[in-house]
């Protein structure tokens, strides 16, 4: 049965138009000019890595924020895309099939998206916290599979010497091209998710998050909407995963270990799960702490620092740093309104 | 045939170990809807503390008791200090347990380092026992693990089904609000359940650590085992945890014996098949 159509005035224009504010322009300008004020370390290790981790975390934000499905296996999907880059393409030991890049890249993204779809089909049968457990179990099972399987995944060692292809005669591994490629992908993902939020499908998904039974009664296919959300999120994670494998130059089971799966959750939660900018804010904080914790605290204790930070955010600001920001701005707005009233 | 019998026994003993860990996990979830993703950390921490106590006192039995007691206290503290203040917020509680597991994992690495520890088990449990009718010898300690899981399972069943507190816990699983309305201190029941669940993880840490060894990463293994066992068996049911553990243990060992590199994949397959037919697990209720 097709979902009933409601006349909501002129939705195609008013609902779907992206809100491009002054903030967006300033942020875009800053991000484009950033490499000119930074050295290679800050361009790649901090800049590009934040953008790419943010993209993977964005896929989790999409599922959790709009769909109410906290999937811990998004890094697994990203890692699978990375594995397929190695399996289909070339690495330093020539273990892969050695296909040309224009098959390898779309093929890897496609395969990883298919895996995400299967994960979606399995996990959407369950609700709420069951979803966390099942996606975690699937992620760990795939981790053990990659770790123990030598025929396809080359076991514990994984693959190394993976680099982006030289398209248009540009060395994409060089700091500047790699940063701008990451920025373009992250920006496209951000815009796509912002558009998704206001699209008919996105609105239906958010309604399903709030009340699945009512949406079901209205004639919407709840399961299908959730699975399609997993497909879209899987695609985003896969694109991020391809970029991350080029960033690292190597892939091994460690890339999709439980710590790494949970890192993505930490990034999304620290930033905030309400809006697509959250994961990127979280990623910047996470990467900065990761790189500079050594100056604050013994390097060995990085996990304890991040664990306590995460715990404090979860305990005191459930909406992450964005939630804090919203509270501060609304407080200052209230203060200003108060002044004006006097 | 010998190999087959040995595999069955290995599967059952591994299942027994999984049951010890997963029953507490399942109990806590059933009552409080709290997915304790720090459960694996409680297993490992209980094992380490039990090891230290056993080393100091020279008594393995005291080590087991210490593993149970220390984790029971820690579990009750978690419930009283943290989870009590966020009742009904499932997702937030789960995120908090993730935070706790990260901190505990790092803490344990700090204190006990990356080495693996091996318990010295009592002489009675050392060596092998021949099993009548089957004509094979089997390690005594593994039989002890199987036996203790059966005893604890029956004990837990009796506690839940035959005692007053057990009755309250079961009532709380069905309807928290109603239990509170009938004048029962729900917070106390919650703290007791959490203590038992965490204590069982600590106890399993010592018993399991003696069967294999204690090392960083084991927390994760047993968390995964608990997750799959309760997903397969159904949440909040002791019988479900028992069925789930036996299935997963057998799947794991048969996989390991007959196609070594895919052992984990078999347990995963069992999970997917069960989910396809019964999304809430074998003994789970809709």
């Amino acid at each position: 049965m097709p979902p009933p159509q409601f006349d909501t005035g002129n939705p195609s224009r008013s609902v779907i138009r992206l809100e491009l504010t002054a903030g967006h322009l300033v942020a875009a300008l800053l991000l484009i000019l950033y490499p000119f004020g930074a050295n290679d370390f800050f361009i790649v290790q901090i800049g590009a890595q934040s953008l790419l981790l943010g993209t993977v975390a964005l896929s989790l934000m999409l599922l959790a924020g709009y769909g109410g499905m906290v999937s811990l296996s998004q890094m697994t999907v990203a890692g699978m895309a990375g594995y397929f880059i190695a399996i289909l393409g070339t690495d330093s030991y020539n273990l892969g099939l050695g296909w040309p890049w224009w098959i390898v890249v779309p093929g890897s993204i496609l395969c990883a998206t298919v895996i995400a779809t299967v994960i979606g089909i399995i996990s959407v049968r369950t609700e709420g916290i069951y979803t966390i457990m099942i996606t975690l179990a699937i992620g760990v099972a795939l981790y053990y599979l990659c770790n123990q399987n030598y025929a396809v995944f080359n076991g514990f060692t994984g693959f190394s010497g993976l680099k982006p292809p030289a398209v248009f005669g540009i060395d994409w591994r060089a700091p500047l091209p790699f940063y701008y490629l990451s920025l373009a992908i992250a920006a496209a993902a951000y815009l796509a998710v912002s558009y998704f939020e206001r699209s008919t499908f996105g609105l239906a998904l958010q309604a399903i998050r709030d009340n699945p039974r009512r949406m079901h009664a209205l004639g919407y296919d709840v399961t299908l909407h959730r699975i399609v959300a997993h497909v879209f999120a899987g695609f985003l994670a896969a694109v991020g995963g391809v970029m991350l494998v080029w960033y690292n130059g190597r892939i091994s089971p460690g890339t999709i270990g439980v710590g790494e799966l949970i890192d993505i959750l930490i990034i999304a939660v620290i930033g905030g799960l309400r809006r697509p900018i959250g994961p990127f804010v979280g990623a910047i904080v996470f990467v900065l702490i990761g790189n500079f914790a050594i100056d604050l605290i013994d390097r060995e204790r990085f996990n304890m620092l991040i664990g306590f930070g995460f715990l404090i955010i979860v305990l005191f600001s459930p909406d992450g740093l964005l939630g804090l920001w919203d509270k501060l701005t609304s407080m200052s707005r209230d203060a200003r309104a108060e002044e004006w009233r006097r | 045939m010998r190999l087959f019998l040995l595999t069955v026994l290995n599967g059952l003993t591994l299942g027994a170990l999984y049951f010890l860990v997963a029953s507490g996990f399942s109990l806590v979830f059933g009552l409080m809807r709290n997915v304790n993703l720090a459960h694996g950390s409680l297993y490992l921490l209980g094992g380490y503390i039990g090891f230290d106590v056993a080393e100091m006192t020279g008594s393995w039995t005291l080590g087991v008791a210490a593993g149970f007691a220390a984790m029971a206290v820690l579990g009750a503290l978690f419930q009283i200090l943290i989870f009590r203040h966020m009742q009904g917020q499932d997702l937030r509680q789960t995120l908090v347990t993730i935070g706790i597991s990260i901190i505990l994992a790092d803490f344990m690495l700090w204190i006990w380092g990356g080495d693996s520890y091996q318990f010295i088990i009592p002489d009675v449990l050392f060596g092998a026992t021949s099993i009548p009718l089957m004509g094979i010898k089997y390690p005594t300690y593994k039989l002890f693990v199987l036996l203790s899981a059966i005893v604890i399972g029956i004990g837990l069943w009796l506690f839940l089904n035959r005692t007053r507190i057990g009755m309250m816990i079961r009532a709380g699983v069905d309807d928290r609000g109603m239990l509170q309305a009938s004048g029962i201190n729900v917070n106390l029941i919650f703290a007791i359940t959490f203590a038992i669940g965490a204590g069982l993880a600590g106890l399993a840490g010592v018993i399991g650590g003696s069967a294999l060894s204690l090392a960083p990463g084991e927390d994760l293994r047993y968390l995964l085992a608990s997750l799959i066992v309760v997903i397969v068996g159904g949440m909040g049911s002791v019988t479900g945890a028992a069925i789930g553990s036996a299935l997963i243990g057998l799947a794991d060992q048969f996989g390991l014996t007959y196609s070594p590199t895919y052992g984990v994949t078999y347990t995963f397959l069992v999970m997917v098949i069960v989910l396809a037919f019964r999304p809430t697990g074998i003994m789970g209720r809709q």
Side-chain angles (χ1 to χ4, degrees):
Chain A
M1 196 181 90
Q5 299 293 318
F6 294 107
D7 183 22
T8 50
N10 188 358
S12 56
R13 294 229 164 166
S14 56
V15 179
I16 290 183
R17 199 191 68 232
L18 285 174
E19 260 185 24
L20 281 175
T21 59
H24 281 104
L25 288 177
V26 173
L29 210 62
L30 275 179
L31 283 169
I32 290 170
L33 294 178
Y34 170 74
F36 299 102
N39 58 19
D40 283 359
F41 171 78
F42 269 90
I43 293 173
V44 178
Q45 299 277 90
I46 307 286
Q49 201 192 356
S50 301
L51 289 166
L52 298 177
L53 285 176
T55 308
V56 179
L58 180 69
S59 76
L60 169 60
M61 178 268 146
L62 175 111
L63 285 176
Y66 301 147
M69 303 172 282
V70 181
S71 163
L72 282 179
S73 56
Q74 289 313 107
M75 191 62 209
T76 306
V77 174
M80 282 296 136
Y83 261 115
F84 282 114
I85 287 283
I87 292 165
L88 303 177
T90 41
D91 60 286
S92 51
Y93 294 102
N94 285 323
L95 296 163
L97 297 171
W99 290 351
W101 69 268
W102 45 271
I103 300 179
V104 172
V105 176
S108 305
I109 294 174
L110 182 73
C111 290
T113 311
V114 169
I115 290 177
T117 313
V118 174
I119 295 176
I121 291 171
I122 298 170
S123 66
V124 296
R125 295 180 60 85
T126 57
E127 295 229 336
I129 29 187
Y130 285 85
T131 314
I132 297 188
M133 296 195 294
I134 291 192
T135 50
L136 181 62
I138 293 173
V140 179
L142 280 173
Y143 162 77
Y144 278 116
L145 176 69
C146 292
N147 207 4
Q148 294 174 351
N149 178 297
Y150 278 83
V152 179
F153 296 103
N154 203 27
F156 179 73
T157 334
F159 300 91
S160 56
L162 307 164
K163 36 182 188 287
V167 187
F168 308 127
I170 300 171
D171 177 16
W172 292 101
R173 277 219 85 175
L176 270 183
F178 192 77
Y179 173 82
Y180 282 118
L181 186 60
S182 309
L183 180 60
I185 282 171
Y190 172 80
L191 290 176
V193 172
S194 308
Y195 175 82
F196 177 87
E197 184 188 354
R198 287 143 193 271
S199 69
T200 332
F201 179 80
L203 289 173
L205 188 68
Q206 292 169 63
I208 287 172
R209 170 198 66 197
D210 295 337
N211 196 335
R213 287 183 65 187
R214 185 175 296 173
M215 287 303 277
H216 183 71
L218 283 173
Y220 284 85
D221 189 335
V222 170
T223 314
L224 188 65
H225 273 74
R226 286 179 172 160
I227 292 174
V228 173
H230 268 279
V231 176
F232 183 40
F235 175 77
L236 288 181
V239 174
V242 169
M243 289 299 289
L244 274 175
V245 80
W246 285 337
Y247 166 81
N248 289 317
R250 56 191 304 281
I251 188 146
S252 63
T255 317
I256 53 169
V258 172
E260 283 64 22
L261 306 191
I262 288 181
D263 281 349
I264 295 298
L265 179 74
I266 291 177
I267 289 172
V269 169
I270 287 182
L273 287 168
R274 287 285 169 85
R275 271 174 287 153
I277 197 68
F280 292 103
V281 175
I284 293 171
V285 172
F286 183 84
V287 170
L288 284 176
I289 292 180
N291 279 289
F292 296 105
I294 189 168
D295 299 332
L296 298 170
I297 183 172
D298 187 6
R299 175 153 189 85
E300 300 287 308
R301 299 282 78 82
F302 163 64
N303 273 327
M304 212 174 263
L305 185 70
I306 206 89
F308 272 113
F310 178 72
L311 204 56
I312 288 168
I313 292 266
V314 174
L315 287 176
F316 299 107
S317 173
D319 287 335
L321 292 174
L322 276 189
L324 275 184
W325 172 254
D326 288 347
K327 258 183 227 164
L328 285 178
T329 49
S330 73
M331 262 159 66
S332 70
R333 209 181 302 132
D334 288 351
R336 250 179 285 148
E338 191 74 12
E339 242 166 60
W340 190 78
R341 228 175 286 148
R342 283 198 205 126
Chain B
M1 191 60 191
R2 265 180 65 93
L3 184 66
F4 179 79
L5 280 179
L6 274 178
T7 313
V8 169
L9 275 175
N10 277 337
L12 287 178
T13 45
L14 185 67
L17 195 51
Y18 285 170
F19 173 76
L20 290 178
V21 193
S23 53
F25 183 82
S26 178
L27 196 65
V28 167
F29 178 84
L31 184 63
M32 288 172 255
R33 303 276 153 230
N34 179 321
V35 178
N36 183 9
L37 293 183
H39 200 71
S41 316
L42 294 176
Y43 167 92
L44 191 56
L45 186 59
Y48 278 138
I49 289 177
F51 179 83
D52 277 359
V53 170
E55 282 283 282
M56 266 188 289
T57 60
S59 157
W60 183 79
T61 324
L62 272 182
V64 176
F68 180 86
M71 288 310 101
V73 170
L74 190 64
L77 281 180
F78 280 165
Q79 169 60 23
I80 292 166
L81 296 179
I82 304 174
F83 300 121
R84 179 174 292 182
H85 307 288
M86 39 177 81
Q87 256 162 40
Q89 303 177 46
D90 304 347
L91 182 60
R92 236 177 114 198
Q93 292 195 357
T94 310
L95 293 179
V96 168
T97 61
I98 290 180
I100 291 174
S101 74
I102 296 170
I103 295 169
L104 280 184
D106 207 41
F107 175 76
M108 289 187 282
L109 199 61
W110 192 9
I111 304 287
W112 285 279
D115 307 330
S116 75
Y117 291 80
Q118 190 76 51
F119 281 93
I120 300 164
I121 49 175
D123 291 340
V124 192
L125 302 174
F126 203 74
T129 309
S130 58
I131 298 170
L133 299 177
M134 290 190 193
I136 46 175
K137 282 197 144 196
Y138 200 68
T140 316
Y141 186 77
K142 286 192 173 180
L143 291 174
F144 167 76
V145 173
L146 190 58
L147 189 71
S148 54
I150 293 170
V151 169
I152 286 172
I154 292 174
L156 207 57
W157 190 86
L158 287 176
F159 169 72
L160 286 174
N161 288 287
R162 292 280 180 272
T163 63
R164 202 174 152 71
I165 296 181
M167 203 157 54
M168 291 176 196
I169 292 178
R170 278 185 300 128
V173 172
D174 289 340
D175 194 330
R176 262 183 290 186
M178 208 54 214
L179 181 69
Q180 195 155 20
S182 34
I184 283 160
N185 186 350
V186 174
N187 278 331
L188 184 67
I189 298 290
F190 279 11
I192 290 174
T193 314
F194 214 106
I196 294 174
L200 281 174
L203 174 106
V206 182
I207 291 184
S210 312
L212 305 154
S213 64
L214 290 172
E218 290 291 288
D219 47 349
L220 185 62
R221 227 189 98 179
Y222 285 95
L223 173 64
L224 175 72
S226 309
L227 282 176
I228 297 190
V229 163
V230 294
I231 290 170
V232 168
M235 278 293 190
S237 150
V238 177
T239 327
I243 297 175
S245 328
L247 266 179
I248 296 304
L250 285 171
D252 191 286
Q253 287 302 311
F254 271 96
L256 211 59
T257 312
Y258 293 101
S259 55
T261 52
Y262 298 100
V264 180
T265 323
Y266 283 104
T267 59
F268 176 67
L269 260 182
V270 171
M271 186 184 98
V272 171
I273 293 170
V274 168
L275 273 182
F277 293 105
R278 285 191 68 90
T280 48
I282 292 173
M283 298 296 285
R285 281 173 291 181
Q286 292 294 332

